[in-house]
Amino acid sequence: MSACNDKKATSTPASADSTSSSTQAESSQTDPQPTESINAEIPEFSDPEIKKFAEDYTSFVKDLTAAYTAKDMTKAAELQQKAMEWANKSTEISKKLVSNPEDAKKFSEYTQKLTTELQSAMTAK
């Protein structure tokens, strides 16, 4: 897994009227809903603990992706603070994956897809 430290700047077109500007500001202050843009389907794992981790991590990445998509940098920063917790959990799960190369491969491919989609949301303009 990778830590995501990229930040995106928010801009409002100079021609936007005050009504649309206030709407944009209000929408960026609400909690983002998990986005459906995460297209990676959670694979089946032989260990229920690995499957649970994958489900929980997917939820985290969806929330973080939604924050970046909504350009809600406050929410993104809050979620980024949890990234170290996820790194620690990942280390524990990695120990379980050592004994199952098939699950390890599926897990690696899946988390790479999530990372790619998250990075895409972080760098979108």
Side-chain angles (χ1 to χ4, degrees):
M1 288 193 287
S2 65
C4 302
N5 296 324
D6 294 345
K7 302 284 184 208
K8 287 177 41 181
T10 312
S11 64
T12 303
S15 63
D17 64 25
S18 61
T19 304
S20 65
S21 294
S22 65
T23 302
Q24 288 175 344
E26 288 170 13
S27 67
S28 69
Q29 292 173 0
T30 60
D31 286 342
Q33 296 300 313
T35 181
E36 296 302 319
S37 68
I38 301 291
N39 296 319
E41 185 176 324
I42 300 172
E44 288 297 319
F45 296 103
S46 60
D47 186 324
E49 189 176 345
I50 295 170
K51 180 164 179 60
K52 174 76 170 124
F53 175 88
E55 291 167 350
D56 293 346
Y57 183 66
T58 299
S59 178
F60 168 74
V61 172
K62 282 182 178 183
D63 289 346
L64 189 55
T65 300
Y68 278 108
T69 301
K71 299 189 181 1
D72 184 346
M73 296 301 107
T74 302
K75 184 67 174 179
E78 288 172 13
L79 291 167
Q80 281 293 351
Q81 291 177 357
K82 296 180 181 182
M84 184 55 82
E85 292 174 35
W86 283 105
N88 291 337
K89 291 177 186 178
S90 178
T91 299
E92 291 303 312
I93 291 298
S94 294
K95 292 176 185 175
K96 288 182 158 281
L97 290 168
V98 168
S99 63
N100 188 330
E102 184 179 325
D103 275 359
K105 182 178 185 222
K106 287 191 281 188
F107 185 82
S108 177
E109 290 171 353
Y110 179 68
T111 56
Q112 183 57 45
K113 286 178 187 176
L114 291 178
T115 299
T116 300
E117 292 191 35
L118 175 58
Q119 289 173 338
S120 177
M122 292 171 68
T123 58
K125 295 188 186 220

